[in-house]
Amino acid sequence: MESILVLTHTDETADLTRASLETVTAGLALAARLAAPLAIGIVAADAASAANSLASTGARLLAVTGPAFAQPRYASDAAACEALCRAAQATIVLAPASSRFARVAAGVAHRLGGVIDTHITAIAVPEAVEATRWFYRQRIEAVLSRDTRPWFLLLDAGTQAAFAAAPAPAQAEQIAVDLPALRTTVTGLKAPRHDAQTIRPDARLLFVAGAGWTKKQPDGQVHAAEASDLILGFLRLSGASLGSSKSLVDQGSESQPVLPFLTHLNQVGQTGATPRHPKGLSTCCHGEEPHVVGWRFIGERRAISLDPNCGWTRGKADVVYIADAFQVIDKLNALLASANPTA
Ligand SMILES: Cc1cc2nc3c(=O)[nH]c(=O)nc-3n(C[C@H](O)[C@H](O)[C@H](O)COP(=O)(O)OP(=O)(O)OC[C@H]3O[C@@H](n4cnc5c(N)ncnc54)[C@H](O)[C@@H]3O)c2cc1C
């Protein structure tokens, strides 16, 4: 009989990360489907609040806690996950593909003599347990099953609903960890300013900037500085995540006007990212196939383009505004600012 363990962790706050809570949802569904016991392991400085938030799951709660587990570090995180796996005696281990766990999960699977699959987007049990992931830039969807146990599955964020329930008092079993000598001391976190960090995987909206923003406009001039202000203003006011077309991010190496906050990490498409957001708004982008293939997991698609024959109008978007994006975003920013004057 299978036994399921969900590995979770906190971040800077005492609460479990959203990706951890999504993995809890997957664990609950899998345990129910298999009628298998479920344990949830928590890695945190202090797991009290996290355990309370999981009380209603009815799962066995295990925790590795202490100052050493407040921050990500390979040696302590791997030791914590290994101890939780050994305590739970799990045959299937689900973990969020957070930077913290993605770094250690393969090592932990190896220590336990198990196997691991990553980028899992769904788990089903038609007969045996089957995990789904995409290959070749999200073009081929594969369904995997394995006999080897323990089987570690690293779940991509954004693929499950986050578990949410009213907290109730709960006590997690403390699992002792033999920490190896720690060579890495975490002295603090250096993160970009909120408005400098333009890639926001949890955002409800993906805002895509295309090359049109830096092209000559109807007045014969380029308005790159104005484009920067409009785009950054929209991101600040809406909290959207910023994506880009390849043409726009490539321009930096071609001595053309650039938007300084864009890098190749923002690129969406065949040779870029395939982000997951409920909605997407494309601006000044032609909507060619190598770009739009990166929109596979965007729920509702809208585009603003001057070109009535762009790819978006040819069935690739739900709604297309044939309009000047400079004017539309300017107006949108004014509306958003008046709706939320403190933003
Ligand atoms: C092997 C391969 C891989 C590729 N991979 C990717 C990829 O991963 N991602 C990607 O994006 N591309 C990729 N491409 C490139 C892709 O084919 C397109 O060339 C690219 O997406 C075009 O970018 P764009 O639409 O921003 O620019 P353009 O084609 O220059 O389109 C700009 C658009 O902006 C509009 N516009 C201009 N001004 C305004 C305004 N004021 N208001 C509204 N609209 C305006 C114009 O009408 C035009 O439609 C790939 C190509 C190849 C061959």
Side-chain angles (χ1 to χ4, degrees):
M1 180 170 166
E2 302 283 10
S3 163
I4 320 290
L5 170 67
V6 173
L7 291 173
T8 65
H9 65 86
T10 59
D11 254 348
E12 292 91 49
T13 69
D15 299 324
L16 292 175
T17 61
R18 188 190 156 82
S20 293
L21 293 168
E22 289 185 18
T23 312
V24 169
T25 302
L28 283 167
L30 181 61
R33 181 72 182 81
L34 293 168
L38 174 69
I40 302 177
I42 304 164
V43 180
D46 177 350
S49 164
N52 290 349
S53 72
L54 297 172
S56 68
T57 60
R60 180 183 173 201
L61 301 180
L62 310 170
V64 169
T65 58
F69 307 102
Q71 283 171 324
R73 167 178 38 216
Y74 188 93
S76 47
D77 282 343
C81 292
E82 181 185 354
L84 288 166
C85 291
R86 292 198 189 281
Q89 293 285 303
T91 57
I92 297 183
V93 180
L94 308 183
S98 57
S99 60
R100 189 166 181 176
F101 279 177
R103 190 158 59 154
V104 300
V108 177
H110 181 71
R111 289 181 192 185
L112 289 155
V115 288
I116 183 166
D117 284 293
T118 59
H119 291 293
I120 300 304
T121 54
I123 302 171
V125 191
E127 285 178 21
V129 178
E130 293 182 346
T132 301
R133 66 157 293 174
W134 295 78
F135 287 99
Y136 186 45
R137 291 278 165 204
Q138 328 297 345
R139 287 211 186 80
I140 299 172
E141 190 181 26
V143 177
L144 314 164
S145 64
R146 290 185 187 273
D147 295 329
T148 310
R149 298 290 186 270
W151 186 17
F152 283 67
L153 296 169
L154 219 49
L155 269 68
D156 269 357
T159 55
Q160 320 282 325
F163 172 78
Q171 197 69 45
E173 296 167 44
Q174 293 293 322
I175 305 301
V177 176
D178 280 335
L179 275 178
L182 299 177
R183 289 181 302 171
T184 306
T185 307
V186 182
T187 57
L189 275 180
K190 270 192 183 173
R193 284 193 351 255
H194 177 66
D195 58 357
Q197 177 56 277
T198 58
I199 299 174
R200 301 168 184 158
D202 288 341
R204 289 193 47 74
L205 178 71
L206 170 71
F207 177 89
V208 160
W213 282 106
T214 55
K215 294 279 164 64
K216 277 187 185 162
Q217 292 303 305
D219 63 0
Q221 304 296 316
V222 168
H223 296 277
E226 190 187 338
S228 281
D229 291 346
L230 286 170
I231 294 168
L232 288 177
F234 182 79
L235 296 180
R236 181 172 51 79
L237 290 161
S238 67
S241 185
L242 179 63
S244 173
S245 69
K246 183 168 168 23
S247 293
L248 186 54
V249 289
D250 280 351
Q251 281 179 193
S253 51
E254 291 162 11
S255 311
Q256 291 182 36
V258 288
L259 301 179
F261 44 85
L262 278 172
T263 73
H264 281 94
L265 290 176
N266 293 97
Q267 184 185 318
V268 170
Q270 177 182 337
T271 45
T274 313
R276 291 167 195 272
H277 299 275
K279 295 184 177 186
L281 177 64
S282 157
T283 54
C284 294
C285 166
H286 196 69
E288 285 181 31
E289 182 60 22
H291 174 72
V292 179
V293 73
W295 283 61
R296 177 162 295 197
F297 301 123
I298 304 299
E300 186 191 318
R301 306 164 174 203
R302 297 191 179 201
I304 306 168
S305 175
L306 281 177
D307 184 354
N309 287 316
C310 70
W312 298 111
T313 62
R314 295 169 183 263
K316 294 199 167 124
D318 301 299
V319 177
V320 184
Y321 306 97
I322 305 303
D324 184 328
F326 281 81
Q327 291 175 15
V328 177
I329 300 303
D330 190 36
K331 179 78 180 162
L332 253 178
N333 284 353
L335 289 171
L336 287 167
S338 62
N340 187 3
T342 56

